[in-house]
Amino acid sequence: MRKEKEMAAGHLRSISLPSRSHPLISGIEEQLHKLKTSESSLIGYKLSGLKDLYDCIDDLLQLPLTQQTLSHEKQSQCAEEALDGSLRLLDMCASTRGFFSQMKESVQELELSLRRRRAGDTGLTTEVNAYMESRKKLNKVIYKKLRNLKRHEKDCRSSISSDNSDLSNMINMLKGAEESSLALFESILSFISEPKVKSKPSGWSFVSNILQAKRVSSEGKVEANEVEKIDAELITLKASKDINSAEVHNILKGLEALESNLQETEEELECVYRRLVKTRVSLLNVLNH
């Protein structure tokens, strides 16, 4: 009997997770640190970091030691929690990609309307109003999504364990990755959304904070992104009674550049989505091991 217990104890020790000094563990911690501390406002840079993070996480999940530890009968519930988190990330990534696609469609429709203008046409009221209305509808959907997401983030933070076991460290690392990823998606959405009116600060304060953080450059100067610049130009032109072709041409150039950036972000989000799917499949394989 004693020999059997010693063998069982030895087996549990043999399936313990890699130590914190393991290259994959340190790689994940490094990527998480970069995501949390980066001051870059470039969406491409943020998404690239997210791809690198989940590449490291998936490599860790492929290790036999990791799979054996997570699939252990008493620890399967922890893996189930990680699986739920992966589903939330997939949903948020897909939603973010969908929001950018809708924004791109609004930009394309405005471009088409401007190109259809005949010589001698005056004012941009109709075109600008249609664009702003589409933006308003998109903002409402984004705010609702972010509000629901904020509740999940709180649940994620509150469920992080203080236990220092290998398993707890692993699960906490996955939850930390989820939390950082959700925060990153929020910051990306601030690129195409607007802060809620001040009459309702309690429900949208986190959106305002994200926007303020985004609009301050590394030199401490307040900057407007491309969407905000286009908005400002459109509002100015809308108020103008005499609009020449050069002004319309400049607006079109700005819209074309914005459309290109939105398209690039869509493609990057698709790449991130595939990484998240891969991680979820790895977790499913662990549970079915």
Side-chain angles (χ1 to χ4, degrees), residues 135-150:
R135 290 282 314 283
K136 182 179 178 181
K137 291 179 180 178
L138 179 59
N139 284 334
K140 287 181 67 175
V141 181
I142 291 176
Y143 295 144
K144 183 178 180 180
K145 186 70 177 180
L146 290 177
R147 183 170 58 181
N148 292 335
L149 179 66
K150 206 64 182 176

Side-chain angles (χ1 to χ4, degrees), residues 49-156:
L50 203 56
K51 287 187 290 184
D52 291 341
L53 170 63
Y54 281 94
D55 279 341
C56 290
I57 288 176
D58 193 69
D59 287 342
L60 181 64
L61 291 174
Q62 298 306 316
L63 294 179
L65 293 178
T66 304
Q67 294 178 359
Q68 291 171 27
T69 299
L70 288 176
S71 62
H72 193 263
E73 182 178 356
K74 293 182 180 179
Q75 299 160 355
S76 60
Q77 184 178 354
C78 296
E80 288 280 5
E81 292 176 4
L83 199 60
D84 291 340
S86 72
L87 190 60
R88 284 192 292 270
L89 286 174
L90 282 171
D91 175 68
M92 190 60 194
C93 186
S95 296
T96 302
R97 185 182 56 187
F99 294 146
F100 269 79
S101 178
Q102 291 178 54
M103 179 67 186
K104 185 182 68 176
E105 290 176 5
S106 296
V107 170
Q108 290 172 333
E109 289 174 5
L110 178 57
E111 287 181 80
L112 185 61
S113 296
L114 293 179
R115 290 195 179 99
R116 285 174 173 171
R117 286 171 56 84
R118 297 187 299 272
D121 284 353
T122 59
L124 286 172
T125 301
T126 302
E127 294 88 342
V128 173
N129 284 348
Y131 173 73
M132 291 301 181
E133 182 61 27
S134 67
R135 290 282 314 283
K136 182 179 178 181
K137 291 179 180 178
L138 179 59
N139 284 334
K140 287 181 67 175
V141 181
I142 291 176
Y143 295 144
K144 183 178 180 180
K145 186 70 177 180
L146 290 177
R147 183 170 58 181
N148 292 335
L149 179 66
K150 206 64 182 176
R151 288 197 290 267
H152 289 305
E153 281 188 316
K154 290 180 181 178
D155 293 339
C156 183

Side-chain angles (χ1 to χ4, degrees), residues 213-245:
K214 172 204 63 174
R215 292 173 181 167
V216 178
S217 71
S218 57
E219 292 84 16
K221 298 177 181 178
V222 177
E223 297 179 337
N225 67 31
E226 294 144 289
V227 176
E228 294 166 333
K229 290 175 182 177
I230 290 291
D231 285 352
E233 291 175 7
L234 287 172
I235 291 172
T236 299
L237 286 181
K238 177 184 174 181
S240 177
K241 299 298 182 181
D242 185 17
I243 301 172
N244 58 50
S245 58

